[in-house]
Amino acid sequence: MKTKNASSPISDDLKRRLADARRVGFFTGAGVSAESGIPTFRGDQGLWKRMKPEELANFDAFMRNPDLVWEWYQYRRKIVHDAGPNAAHRAIVEMEALFEVEVATQNVDNLHRRAGSTTVRELHGNIERNYCVECGTRHDDIEIGEKDAGAARCACGGLIRPDVVWFGEMLPQSEFTRAEDFAARADVYFVVGTSMVVYPAAYIPNTARVGGAYLVEVNVEPTEFSRVAAESYFGKAGEIMPRIAAAAREARNV
Ligand code: BV8
Ligand code: ZN
């Protein structure tokens, strides 16, 4: 594992891998959206610092206190709605011109798609979508701004919930399987802005490793994953990812 800091040049090893690569994958977490102003979960200012995930991001908590959980998602939806993709999201889009690219994201903020990424596997759902817990009707047009309006209800009377994967819930099978399939065949696999503590999503970079991919971590600090990555670049994703995209263009003489 070779560690580099924010100003380190992109290594010759990585440039060589990118020169020959066909399939390049990006596994992302909250850190890739941090510079868009969206709070992460486990950092110093993280969402979990102020509230416990088990109190909020699970179905029982929602059924016990739908107003509290719904308000929390309205609060996060507003942040996401007012945020925009940052240089890290855009650098990943730029690499679609050089490689077959897939993004497997744990984020529910839709920023990869809003940046222009064409193949995004949303492993934990999408906060901009909602559905009725009783009849399953979709309610994606809910007003975000309604403050203190309490939990929203469907015409059938059922509670409306965000279309995100809560703790104890299954991930969308097709998204997970497709992300695994791509990771298993990837030549280079980037793990960007994730603490790598949430499963089963965090199994996916290991699938890439077992499939022979060259694993590169981008994070502001070491994680569980740092010891298995071929290289770790420590710094902000919004600074490092554009440098990786530039190195990829150079490696492919573009
Ligand atoms: C399930 C969506 C069971 C909602 C979230 C083993 C196998 C399977 C399950 C488990 C297992 N072990 C434990 C479990 C249970 C649990 C789990 O993983 N618990 C953990 C916490 C121990 N998993 C589950 O419950 C999953 N479901 O397994 O169901 C099942 C099985 C069969 C049948 C029925 C049921 C569901 C997990 C999904 C939970 N949903 N969120 C919402 O968002 O509200 S979790 C939440 O964590 C987010 O999705 C988030 O994306 C995800 C991961 O967090 P990160 O993205 O990594 O964010 P974090 O803040 O942690 O880290 C940010 C990183 O960025 C840091 O490293 C930081 O240094 C870095 N950073 C910060 N700024 C920058 C930066 N890097 C670069 N640049 C910067 N500027
Ligand atoms: Zn309904």
Side-chain angles (χ1 to χ4, degrees), residues 28-32 34-35 40-43 46 48 57 72-73 76 106-108 124 127 164-171 192-200 203 218-223 235-238:
T28 67
V32 82
E35 290 151 270
T40 61
F41 292 89
R42 295 168 186 86
W48 292 160
W72 184 54
Y73 278 93
R76 290 178 58 200
Q106 302 167 93
N107 298 340
V108 296
H124 291 162
I127 201 169
V164 298
V165 178
W166 277 331
F167 286 103
E169 293 185 330
M170 288 276 282
L171 277 59
V192 189
T194 175
S195 58
M196 287 292 284
V197 298
V198 174
Y199 287 87
Y203 286 133
V218 176
N219 200 306
V220 290
E221 60 187 12
T223 68
K236 291 185 173 182

Side-chain angles (χ1 to χ4, degrees), residues 59 63 131-137 153-154 156-161:
F59 185 72
M63 295 313 281
Y131 63 92
C132 170
V133 297
E134 299 299 334
C135 68
T137 304
R153 291 227 177 233
C154 171
C156 80
L159 281 167
I160 297 173
R161 61 165 285 177

Side-chain angles (χ1 to χ4, degrees), residues 75-216:
Y75 155 72
R76 290 178 58 200
R77 238 190 289 271
K78 177 93 178 68
I79 294 173
V80 166
H81 180 268
D82 297 348
N86 66 54
H89 298 103
R90 287 191 293 273
I92 291 172
V93 176
E94 285 165 20
M95 284 189 261
E96 291 195 4
L98 306 171
F99 310 105
E100 185 189 338
V101 166
E102 276 209 14
V103 178
T105 188
Q106 302 167 93
N107 298 340
V108 296
D109 58 29
N110 207 25
L111 287 186
H112 283 297
R113 230 186 237 115
R114 283 170 56 188
S117 285
T118 52
T119 311
V120 182
R121 307 294 177 212
E122 293 179 326
L123 300 169
H124 291 162
N126 183 323
I127 201 169
E128 297 185 336
R129 296 195 302 261
N130 306 287
Y131 63 92
C132 170
V133 297
E134 299 299 334
C135 68
T137 304
R138 304 208 67 81
H139 292 270
D140 298 344
D141 52 356
I142 293 227
E143 267 310 299
I144 295 175
E146 285 163 17
K147 262 312 282 151
D148 308 327
R153 291 227 177 233
C154 171
C156 80
L159 281 167
I160 297 173
R161 61 165 285 177
D163 187 7
V164 298
V165 178
W166 277 331
F167 286 103
E169 293 185 330
M170 288 276 282
L171 277 59
Q173 196 53 46
S174 66
E175 297 293 273
F176 186 80
T177 308
R178 287 180 179 157
E180 284 265 73
D181 289 350
F182 187 88
R185 295 176 297 122
D187 301 307
V188 181
Y189 204 72
F190 290 93
V191 175
V192 189
T194 175
S195 58
M196 287 292 284
V197 298
V198 174
Y199 287 87
Y203 286 133
I204 293 171
N206 192 55
T207 302
R209 187 177 63 81
V210 169
Y214 192 72
L215 289 179
V216 181

